[in-house]
Amino acid sequence: MSTERDSETTFEEDSQPNDEVVPYSDDETEDELEDQGSTAEPEPSQINREAEENREPFRKECTWQVKANDRSFHEQPHFMNTKFFCIKKSKYASNAIKTYKYNVFDFIPVNLFEQFKRVANLYFLILLVLQTIPQITTLAWYTTLVPLLLVLGVTAIKDLADDVTRHKMDKEVNNRTCEVIRDGRFKVAKWKDIQVGDVIRLKKNDFIPADILLLSSSEPNSLCYVETAELDGETNLKFKMALEITDQYLQKENTLATFDGFIECEEPNNRLDKFTGTLFWKNKSFPLDADKILLRGCVIRNTDVCHGLVIFAGADTKIMKNSGKTRFKRTKIDYLMNYVVYTIFVVLILLSAGLAIGHAYWEAQVGNYSWYLYDGEDSTPSYRGFLNFWGYIIVLNTLVPISLYVSVEVIRLGQSYFINWDLQMYYAEKDTPAKARTTTLNEQLGQIHYIFSDKTGTLTQNIMTFKKCCINGQIYGDHRDASQHNHSKIEPVDFSWNTFADGKFAFYDHYLIEQIQSGNEPEVRQFFFLLAICHTVMVDRIDDQLNYQAASPDEGALVSAARNFGFAFLARTQNTITISELGTERTYNVLAILDFNSDRKRMSIIVRTPEGTIRLYCKGADTVIYERLHRMNPTKQETQDALDMFANETLRTLCLCYKEIEEKEFAEWNKKFMAASVASANRDEALDKVYEEIEKDLILLGATAIEDKLQDGVPETISKLAKADIKIWVLTGDKKETAENIGFACELLTEDTTICYGEDINSLLHTRMENQRNRCGVYAKFAPPVNEPFFPPGGNRALIITGSWLNEILLEKKAKRSKILKLKFPRTEEERRVRTQSKRRLEAKKEQRQKNFVDLACECSAVICCRVTPKQKAMVVDLVKRYKKAITLAIGDGANDVNMIKTAHIGVGISGQEGMQAVMSSDFSFAQFRYLQRLLLVHGRWSYIRMCKFLRYFFYKNFAFTLVHLWYSFFNGYSAQAAYEDWFITLYNVLYSSLPVLLMGLLDQDVSDKLSLRFPGLYVVGQRDLLFNYKRFFVSLLHGALTSMILFFIPFGAYLQTMGQDGEAPSDYQSFAVTIASALVMTVNFQIGLDTSYWTFVNAFSIFGSIALYFGIMFDFHSAGIHVILPSAFQFTGTAANALRQPYIWLTIILTVAVCLLPVIAIRFLSMTIWPSESDKIQKHRKRLKAEEQWKSRHKVFRRGVSSRRSAYAFSHQRGYADLISSGRSIHKKRSPLDAIIADGTAEYRRTVES
């Protein structure tokens, strides 16, 4: 028993998941996890080593080796991998990106190979071969060749057009240029020519061509600012910093050209936030981490020049590794269509076999004894039956519709163009139209069950706006004038009095401006002064223009707001910060910056005023600030009420406070602070403890309220999609509080929603697993599975879960084995069996746990997953696909969404933003989230309905056409003779019945686009597969079979005893064939008229035009002139003219068509009268319905003090710039000395508190 337990992989159950941390679930190894637990991270200082030849790898996994400025190093034999037989290729990828499939030489063979992988195409190729055998065929070879060539040609042209587009996109990216060291100098080179080990130079606003190690830059201490919009859709800047040694020595071209550093690092992987490696140079080694790596796809900002060494290129870069595997996506209807075709194959074989047996029996009973049927062959009846089997395979081949696939492609292509041309999905502001980037998934847009959406840049604009504030218990931000009178319409505040105002800020409360300018309430000025001084924002001042760079958009919004209200942050040095206070510049000594982190949820700054007073200013989440307030805060309750109101309005809130510090108190605290700052172990914990000592007894100033601006129409879109029974899950890398706040803003969550968090879910799943384990007894396999709900019926529930909890719940945490077990291999068969069983049990447990989680999550009305990695996003999508068998759609705008977009059945990219990586990998793209409702509820629904109607009709018309041969067989000795002329068989699907059904598949609509949006409930027919399924297919088969019987037997009966006007009986085979063919063409074309819901001139013209075309071609083919040219191919000379001049033949045709169509009309009438569908009801009353419904936002009732939510303030995803500022590494050298600044004025902002 102990052996079995030891051999199992155990999980760290004692470690509680951290909600604030993004888990490194991507590509982690057991060794890494053990290293995390056993060894401390190396100090970022220089580690003296022996010479390069005596070095040891920095870590076991650091097997990727890079030599600077030495391309021959990477071409050594031991870096070569065998790709195909003796062909070898370097393991280092080139920097060229390839997304195309064909080239000039292999297009034709490869494309034909792919097309013949389709069963129908291969089937018709085999038929073509069979038709060359005279003993088998009764049809001419061109009856198969012409449709086959048409199908192959149209598909090849479409594939070629798609691939040419991919070629152009690849060429555009690969031919971008940058400067690379060549022959000792920087020379311009194309991206595709860059290789691992090259040293490159990048300039401001350049895209980074590969993953590179930052060597130096034009900024102090080789800082480099990058924008990561391509990766995560965020526009706030991140900073990277080079090693001190490379910053010192590698600034000039000649030193960069002679740089011969050697790097050992981890193999290429998809972890965007993690990098481990070592630089060996000058007989020393220097540790490398993610802060020194610039990733492909990012953009250089605010840095004139930087230099880097290429570490990973092309397909090895992290952005490409995160792209996930490109999957060939096919729709649900595609799969069903294939099964239907297989079913038709079975029907074809059974019919052919039955008719072949009938022929063998007929030969034995009749044929052998009828001397006039002797054909000179002495074959046995069974052999004749065998030949007739293949003959019927050929005659009945049109049961398998060769033109089906090409018709489907044409319809999808047309529907794609409709999406591209839709002006209501065109975003004029950025000149961005909607784009269908694939033409194979349109009808699947009408079957979506789940939408997985990113947050930043997808639901939100990633633009923070200062909306309201509460100062000293008074709320500001409403529309009111300087006399505190509210107005519904009022002009925005005029900030022209402020020379530092940016001109973009809109604020409507004139009373707040009056308070600032009058100075009646010192707390108001103190409030904005705090916003101007307590932050880690960096500033560039160019031509008197201030340009702020913040670690998060929230912080930038607050500093910009203070600037507009008269308190402008102007400059900072390592130890000072300069503020313009209503036009007066004052400089303050910065004594300490207590930076933000996810545990503290606050930041503070301690400054000395020009008057010598020491003050601490603090801002943070209300939950942590209120715990540290002085007990005598008179406005505490008023501020709490304001916070509740702001949270109810889904604004992101932040509390501001301060305290004065005595000189002696600060001196004592500063000693502890300095000691903690240089601690060699657990430095962060020590600093946090010291921070706690000074951040207490704070005086509350008020609270800010920032709006994380949603994209226009997001709540409306989500509301309509919910009414269409589509569930929306938000998957984001943002913090839990921020994601929850956006959930309320876009109305995924409401005040009535019961929210379940990770710990709640873990407990529910643990209980469910225990119950399932208890039920697993001896008779478990005989008992039906029990699907009990996790929650009682009723109530509105939502699930909010972080990436760490997701790993914990889904048992995705990386396992650790003991080192002893690692070396212990199973020695006996028993040990091997026990270990195998243990592994299977673990896999079964994991699978059951994941299924339970999906079942639980799907019971919730909304699911928000935050702090998740790109791999986890894809994993969540895959779980729903796997266990719910539901159609999924993923929508995002950054490279971190690419894996999710590729995993979902349909991927949508938000274009028009800075990041285009998601768009490049998507199936559809547009500029705004709100266009999703039109894409699904209009284009998706229409496409689904059109495709289903097309398929039902297509199968019907082919069965009606082909099964006439079956009935004819009973009267021709089962001899595989065709009932029609050869040219009619060839052109039936190509000309006589193709255009009307194509136009129906392109243009038909049951209700208008406005009514489709007004009644989202119409969408459910696609989710439930109501319009095309196996039942519908067999109904079409039965309808076609009955039609074929009528088409054959009514003319057959009419021809039994007939006499023409001239006294002759035109009951010959050729006239009979013309009569059936004419009735067939008229029947199937009028039938599509009955199926058409949306009539246009084009539809009517195509129906009557197809009938006219049939008669025109038939009279032409039956003329004597064409018979003279090709007598063997055109044998029905004069048949049409002779037969169709007889009135009773026309009567026969009309009677046949009437008998075929009247029952259909009767059934349709009864169905619409007695059992009308939702669309039938809307069609009936569409004239009195309004064209469009005005969506009304849910009425919100604010209940004071009831809201338990807290709207979080996102300082940044990591720590801010405080360490950078304190160290002075970001500050330019030329600064005014402190004693040059005149410290005048009095302490205007002091506030005393009576004890």
Side-chain angles (χ1 to χ4, degrees):
M1 186 69 183
S2 60
T3 306
E4 179 181 325
R5 179 173 177 79
D6 291 342
S7 63
E8 289 190 8
T9 305
T10 57
F11 295 92
E12 293 180 280
E13 297 179 355
D14 55 333
S15 61
Q16 186 81 351
N18 187 346
D19 284 343
E20 301 294 341
V21 176
V22 178
Y24 290 116
S25 63
D26 305 26
D27 296 346
E28 271 192 343
T29 62
E30 293 173 356
D31 294 335
E32 283 179 305
L33 286 154
E34 288 184 358
D35 288 340
Q36 291 170 13
S38 58
T39 60
E41 289 291 324
E43 287 290 321
S45 58
Q46 300 180 6
I47 305 170
N48 293 324
R49 299 273 183 152
E50 297 297 324
E52 184 179 314
E53 59 270 16
N54 296 326
R55 70 180 181 276
E56 289 293 330
F58 190 68
R59 276 192 182 179
K60 286 180 284 185
E61 71 271 21
C62 293
T63 58
W64 189 263
Q65 298 179 336
V66 178
K67 186 74 178 289
N69 290 315
D70 188 357
R71 289 192 169 187
S72 60
F73 173 82
H74 306 103
E75 296 171 359
Q76 297 179 70
H78 58 276
F79 292 136
M80 296 291 177
N81 295 328
T82 303
K83 294 293 182 184
F84 182 73
F85 289 109
C86 59
I87 300 175
K88 293 192 174 184
K89 189 177 180 182
S90 173
K91 77 170 187 176
Y92 298 95
S94 73
N95 204 44
I97 298 299
K98 175 188 172 185
T99 61
Y100 59 85
K101 294 167 62 178
Y102 312 109
N103 57 43
V104 177
F105 304 104
D106 67 8
F107 171 71
I108 292 177
V110 172
N111 187 261
L112 284 176
F113 174 74
E114 288 185 346
Q115 290 206 58
F116 282 119
K117 285 198 291 187
R118 262 186 181 155
V119 179
N121 290 347
L122 184 62
Y123 164 72
F124 278 95
L125 181 65
I126 294 170
L127 273 185
L128 191 59
V129 174
L130 289 176
Q131 282 181 293
T132 62
I133 304 173
Q135 292 87 347
I136 293 177
T137 185
T138 56
L139 286 176
W141 54 269
Y142 51 77
T143 58
T144 299
L145 181 63
V146 172
L148 181 61
L149 287 179
L150 184 67
V151 168
L152 296 178
V154 171
T155 306
I157 290 170
K158 174 188 164 295
D159 290 343
L160 179 63
D162 288 346
D163 211 54
V164 166
T165 304
R166 285 191 286 264
H167 268 278
K168 289 179 180 177
M169 292 170 62
D170 289 348
K171 188 176 181 180
E172 180 186 348
V173 173
N174 290 333
N175 287 340
R176 289 178 181 173
T177 59
C178 70
E179 294 181 89
V180 183
I181 290 280
R182 291 282 188 278
D183 303 322
R185 298 186 62 81
F186 277 111
K187 296 181 180 179
V188 175
K190 295 179 178 179
W191 278 23
K192 65 182 180 182
D193 299 324
I194 295 173
Q195 294 184 16
V196 171
D198 286 351
V199 174
I200 64 176
R201 174 194 285 165
L202 299 171
K203 297 179 181 178
K204 188 175 181 179
N205 299 328
D206 280 353
F207 278 92
I208 300 171
D211 290 354
I212 65 175
L213 169 67
L214 180 62
L215 298 176
S216 61
S217 79
S218 56
E219 294 296 299
N221 299 287
S222 288
L223 276 173
C224 181
Y225 297 94
V226 293
E227 184 181 274
T228 60
E230 284 274 359
L231 296 178
D232 52 23
E234 296 181 4
T235 54
N236 52 296
L237 301 187
K238 280 83 171 175
F239 69 88
K240 305 287 183 178
M241 188 166 57
L243 288 166
E244 188 177 343
I245 184 78
T246 59
D247 167 52
Q248 183 178 354
Y249 290 104
L250 299 178
Q251 292 287 352
K252 297 181 180 179
E253 185 178 62
N254 59 340
T255 56
L256 286 162
T258 57
F259 175 56
D260 61 349
F262 184 86
I263 291 174
E264 281 187 346
C265 64
E266 61 191 14
E267 292 284 323
N269 58 65
N270 62 359
R271 291 168 293 189
L272 294 172
D273 300 336
K274 198 173 181 184
F275 180 83
T276 304
T278 311
L279 168 65
F280 298 94
W281 190 40
K282 294 182 179 291
N283 293 332
K284 294 181 181 179
S285 62
F286 309 92
L288 304 176
D289 56 27
D291 290 335
K292 299 170 180 62
I293 302 298
L294 307 182
L295 300 183
R296 177 178 177 131
C298 297
V299 184
I300 304 295
R301 299 290 192 207
N302 294 2
T303 307
D304 293 330
V305 175
C306 69
H307 306 103
L309 172 66
V310 177
I311 305 292
F312 304 127
D316 291 334
T317 56
K318 291 182 181 288
I319 192 172
M320 297 304 293
K321 288 287 185 182
N322 262 296
S323 295
K325 185 179 179 182
T326 301
R327 297 167 172 85
F328 177 67
K329 296 182 178 181
R330 300 175 67 187
T331 66
K332 198 172 183 180
I333 284 182
D334 268 334
Y335 288 108
L336 180 57
M337 211 158 59
N338 280 346
Y339 285 117
V340 165
V341 170
Y342 296 146
T343 304
I344 295 174
F345 273 133
V346 173
V347 171
L348 173 64
I349 291 170
L350 292 176
L351 285 176
S352 299
L355 293 170
I357 293 170
H359 181 71
Y361 178 79
W362 184 87
E363 277 288 335
Q365 298 296 319
V366 180
N368 282 350
Y369 304 104
S370 302
W371 58 269
Y372 52 87
L373 295 176
Y374 182 65
D375 57 1
E377 298 287 339
D378 294 322
S379 304
T380 63
S382 57
Y383 179 69
R384 287 181 181 272
F386 171 74
L387 292 180
N388 257 38
F389 170 78
W390 297 106
Y392 272 113
I393 290 286
I394 294 171
V395 169
L396 300 176
N397 75 78
T398 46
L399 278 178
V400 181
I402 185 171
S403 57
L404 171 67
Y405 290 104
V406 72
S407 301
V408 166
E409 294 296 334
V410 170
I411 290 171
R412 287 172 172 168
L413 183 64
Q415 290 167 348
S416 299
Y417 277 111
F418 291 150
I419 293 173
N420 297 346
W421 295 338
D422 191 343
L423 291 178
Q424 294 190 53
M425 296 170 67
Y426 170 71
Y427 190 51
E429 187 175 320
K430 294 193 175 179
D431 189 26
T432 307
K435 176 72 174 174
R437 299 175 56 82
T438 181
T439 59
T440 59
L441 302 173
N442 299 321
E443 70 272 8
Q444 190 121 301
L445 290 169
Q447 297 181 281
I448 302 299
H449 293 87
Y450 292 88
I451 293 175
F452 299 90
S453 174
D454 179 40
K455 181 190 77 71
T456 306
T458 303
L459 296 176
T460 66
Q461 301 179 37
N462 203 27
I463 298 173
M464 307 298 171
T465 307
F466 184 90
K467 297 295 287 185
K468 292 185 178 183
C469 59
C470 174
I471 307 173
N472 203 27
Q474 172 76 37
I475 295 175
Y476 300 92
D478 295 325
H479 289 58
R480 58 183 176 175
D481 58 23
S483 304
Q484 299 192 60
H485 296 116
N486 288 339
H487 297 274
S488 58
K489 292 184 179 180
I490 193 169
E491 292 294 321
V493 169
D494 182 10
F495 288 105
S496 59
W497 56 271
N498 180 4
T499 57
F500 291 106
D502 59 13
K504 302 174 185 176
F505 183 62
F507 198 75
Y508 296 90
D509 194 342
H510 294 253
Y511 181 61
L512 178 57
I513 304 301
E514 174 68 23
Q515 290 291 82
I516 292 173
Q517 292 177 336
S518 68
N520 292 335
E521 289 196 32
E523 290 83 4
V524 175
R525 292 188 177 184
Q526 184 86 316
F527 182 91
F528 289 104
F529 172 76
L530 190 154
L531 292 180
I533 200 169
C534 183
H535 55 78
T536 58
V537 171
M538 316 289 271
V539 62
D540 285 332
R541 193 169 182 177
I542 304 171
D543 299 330
D544 290 331
Q545 294 294 319
L546 298 177
N547 183 24
Y548 294 148
Q549 301 298 338
S552 75
D554 302 65
E555 193 161 60
L558 291 177
V559 177
S560 295
R563 163 188 176 177
N564 284 286
F565 284 115
F567 293 79
F569 162 53
L570 301 180
R572 77 184 328 144
T573 68
Q574 182 176 350
N575 299 314
T576 66
I577 185 168
T578 303
I579 310 292
S580 170
E581 305 169 17
L582 298 177
T584 303
E585 287 193 17
R586 290 165 59 85
T587 299
Y588 296 82
N589 272 348
V590 178
L591 304 180
I593 296 178
L594 286 56
D595 200 8
F596 165 87
N597 66 35
S598 56
D599 294 324
R600 285 167 39 76
K601 298 183 180 179
R602 64 192 183 278
M603 79 154 289
S604 301
I605 185 170
I606 302 175
V607 298
R608 189 187 299 273
T609 67
E611 294 75 32
T613 306
I614 299 175
R615 280 191 175 178
L616 177 144
Y617 294 97
C618 179
K619 64 182 181 183
D622 53 334
T623 51
V624 295
I625 294 297
Y626 266 59
E627 295 171 357
R628 291 160 178 81
L629 291 179
H630 192 281
R631 54 189 175 84
M632 297 296 292
N633 265 285
T635 61
K636 189 173 179 180
Q637 185 56 48
E638 289 87 344
T639 306
Q640 179 66 61
D641 292 341
L643 286 167
D644 290 341
M645 190 180 78
F646 295 156
N648 198 64
E649 295 175 8
T650 67
L651 300 174
R652 295 154 69 99
T653 58
L654 185 71
C655 284
L656 309 185
C657 53
Y658 77 103
K659 70 177 283 189
E660 293 194 6
I661 304 174
E662 297 294 331
E663 192 75 41
K664 181 180 178 183
E665 180 187 358
F666 175 76
E668 292 177 358
W669 177 86
N670 196 42
K671 291 178 183 177
K672 299 178 183 177
F673 173 65
M674 297 305 295
S677 300
V678 295
S680 57
N682 300 322
R683 183 181 301 168
D684 289 343
E685 290 81 355
L687 282 171
D688 286 349
K689 187 176 180 181
V690 173
Y691 293 164
E692 285 284 348
E693 294 182 14
I694 198 75
E695 292 174 326
K696 59 184 181 182
D697 295 331
L698 303 174
I699 300 168
L700 183 64
L701 269 176
T704 60
I706 290 180
E707 181 185 28
D708 186 359
K709 294 192 74 171
L710 289 174
Q711 291 188 12
D712 294 338
V714 168
E716 176 189 1
T717 300
I718 289 175
S719 173
K720 285 190 175 176
L721 293 175
K723 290 176 183 175
D725 201 24
I726 299 173
K727 292 188 176 180
I728 298 181
W729 294 22
V730 177
L731 311 178
T732 177
D734 215 336
K735 302 196 312 181
K736 182 170 72 174
E737 293 87 351
T738 308
E740 182 177 337
N741 191 44
I742 289 298
F744 280 100
C746 64
E747 300 188 10
L748 270 175
L749 310 176
T750 67
E751 289 294 343
D752 300 326
T753 303
T754 303
I755 299 177
C756 303
Y757 296 100
E759 50 271 27
D760 309 320
I761 302 305
N762 196 36
S763 174
L764 283 169
L765 291 176
H766 181 74
T767 304
R768 174 59 59 89
M769 291 289 286
E770 288 293 327
N771 293 340
Q772 289 171 338
R773 192 179 296 114
N774 293 336
R775 280 198 295 264
C776 289
V778 179
Y779 304 103
K781 57 184 173 183
F782 302 109
V786 180
N787 293 320
E788 300 173 0
F790 285 87
F791 303 108
N796 186 18
R797 292 177 181 82
L799 167 60
I800 298 180
I801 189 168
T802 61
S804 299
W805 271 111
L806 201 60
N807 275 356
E808 177 83 11
I809 288 169
L810 301 180
L811 304 182
E812 287 288 345
K813 287 181 68 176
K814 297 300 178 181
K816 292 203 297 185
R817 301 176 191 271
S818 68
K819 291 183 179 179
I820 299 173
L821 280 176
K822 271 190 187 177
L823 302 174
K824 181 181 176 183
F825 295 98
R827 297 177 181 175
T828 66
E829 190 64 33
E830 178 65 18
E831 286 184 7
R832 188 178 290 108
R833 185 184 63 80
V834 169
R835 184 166 294 188
T836 302
Q837 289 179 351
S838 172
K839 189 175 181 180
R840 286 176 181 169
R841 275 197 301 273
L842 278 173
E843 288 298 320
K845 177 185 175 184
K846 179 177 177 180
E847 184 176 342
Q848 184 61 52
R849 178 96 164 185
Q850 291 179 344
K851 185 178 184 303
N852 289 344
F853 170 74
V854 173
D855 290 340
L856 185 150
C858 290
E859 287 185 26
C860 299
S861 59
V863 177
I864 299 176
C865 301
C866 40
R867 284 306 204 198
V868 288
T869 64
K871 185 177 179 181
Q872 285 180 309
K873 289 184 177 185
M875 179 184 71
V876 171
V877 175
D878 186 62
L879 287 175
V880 175
K881 283 174 62 179
R882 193 188 320 159
Y883 294 117
K884 284 297 174 184
K885 307 298 181 188
I887 305 299
T888 58
L889 180 146
I891 180 170
D893 72 320
N896 58 346
D897 304 314
V898 167
N899 208 345
M900 169 178 77
I901 284 172
K902 288 186 174 180
T903 302
H905 292 99
I906 291 178
V908 177
I910 298 291
S911 60
Q913 306 294 325
E914 288 80 356
M916 294 294 289
Q917 190 70 19
V919 172
M920 301 284 282
S921 302
S922 66
D923 305 306
F924 300 88
S925 66
F926 41 70
Q928 295 281 291
F929 181 84
R930 68 177 183 269
Y931 298 148
L932 186 61
Q933 62 174 313
R934 186 166 181 84
L935 183 71
L936 300 186
L937 302 183
V938 178
H939 290 286
R941 185 175 161 278
W942 279 352
S943 295
Y944 173 75
I945 291 172
R946 290 164 179 168
M947 186 60 69
C948 292
K949 276 190 174 183
F950 165 81
L951 291 173
R952 295 200 310 263
Y953 175 79
F954 202 95
F955 288 124
Y956 154 75
K957 77 180 181 70
N958 270 47
F959 285 127
F961 164 62
T962 307
L963 292 180
V964 170
H965 297 300
L966 173 66
W967 316 122
Y968 184 49
S969 298
F970 296 125
F971 302 95
N972 64 18
Y974 310 98
S975 56
Q977 296 301 307
Y980 309 106
E981 178 195 7
D982 287 352
W983 281 108
F984 178 78
I985 295 173
T986 304
L987 299 178
Y988 173 75
N989 274 322
V990 176
L991 291 178
Y992 302 153
S993 62
S994 58
L995 190 57
V997 70
L998 278 177
L999 289 174
M1000 184 181 71
L1002 287 170
L1003 303 175
D1004 199 49
Q1005 48 184 268
D1006 56 345
V1007 297
S1008 68
D1009 55 342
K1010 293 178 180 178
L1011 290 174
S1012 294
L1013 291 171
R1014 182 174 177 180
F1015 298 99
L1018 293 172
Y1019 188 82
V1020 297
V1021 293
Q1023 295 172 325
R1024 298 174 186 172
D1025 301 321
L1026 297 180
L1027 299 186
F1028 186 71
N1029 46 46
Y1030 254 110
K1031 179 182 175 182
R1032 290 278 190 164
F1033 164 70
F1034 282 113
V1035 168
S1036 295
L1037 192 156
L1038 180 62
H1039 185 195
L1042 292 173
T1043 301
S1044 68
M1045 288 182 69
I1046 296 168
L1047 286 169
F1048 177 79
F1049 284 106
I1050 289 182
F1052 182 76
Y1055 270 76
L1056 277 177
Q1057 295 177 343
T1058 57
M1059 187 68 66
Q1061 290 178 343
D1062 53 4
E1064 296 179 0
S1067 53
D1068 59 291
Y1069 156 70
Q1070 292 185 345
S1071 298
F1072 182 62
V1074 168
T1075 305
I1076 297 176
S1078 301
L1080 172 66
V1081 170
M1082 295 175 72
T1083 299
V1084 296
N1085 279 287
F1086 288 145
Q1087 175 67 48
I1088 202 167
L1090 296 176
D1091 290 341
T1092 301
S1093 302
Y1094 183 69
W1095 278 92
T1096 64
F1097 168 78
V1098 180
N1099 291 90
F1101 179 80
S1102 68
I1103 290 173
F1104 293 104
S1106 295
I1107 296 173
L1109 184 67
Y1110 159 72
F1111 283 109
I1113 291 176
M1114 181 176 65
F1115 278 106
D1116 193 32
F1117 281 6
H1118 291 188
S1119 66
I1122 201 166
H1123 174 73
V1124 171
I1125 299 171
L1126 290 169
S1128 61
F1130 300 94
Q1131 300 176 355
F1132 276 48
T1133 308
T1135 303
N1138 182 55
L1140 296 180
R1141 65 188 175 86
Q1142 306 289 346
Y1144 72 89
I1145 288 186
W1146 279 106
L1147 184 61
T1148 301
I1149 293 172
I1150 294 170
L1151 178 64
T1152 305
V1153 173
V1155 173
C1156 287
L1157 297 181
L1158 285 175
V1160 177
I1161 296 172
I1163 292 172
R1164 296 278 173 88
F1165 175 77
L1166 289 173
S1167 175
M1168 293 183 68
T1169 305
I1170 302 174
W1171 307 288
S1173 64
E1174 284 298 316
S1175 62
D1176 291 335
K1177 295 174 184 176
I1178 293 170
Q1179 277 181 307
K1180 184 177 179 180
H1181 302 292
R1182 64 181 179 274
K1183 289 185 179 180
R1184 67 179 181 81
L1185 292 170
K1186 292 180 182 179
E1188 188 175 2
E1189 179 188 52
Q1190 292 295 326
W1191 178 84
K1192 295 179 180 179
S1193 180
R1194 186 180 290 115
H1195 181 63
K1196 300 174 186 174
V1197 179
F1198 171 63
R1199 292 172 290 173
R1200 186 174 297 274
V1202 172
S1203 175
S1204 60
R1205 290 192 285 118
R1206 285 294 176 267
S1207 180
Y1209 168 68
F1211 283 83
S1212 65
H1213 285 190
Q1214 296 86 28
R1215 297 177 74 93
Y1217 293 152
D1219 291 341
L1220 201 59
I1221 295 164
S1222 302
S1223 65
R1225 290 172 291 182
S1226 66
I1227 311 301
H1228 287 279
K1229 307 303 179 187
K1230 294 181 181 179
R1231 294 290 184 194
S1232 299
L1234 182 61
D1235 55 10
I1237 301 173
I1238 301 173
D1240 59 349
T1242 58
E1244 300 178 52
Y1245 313 115
R1246 302 188 63 181
R1247 178 182 175 188
T1248 58
V1249 178
E1250 295 179 6
S1251 56

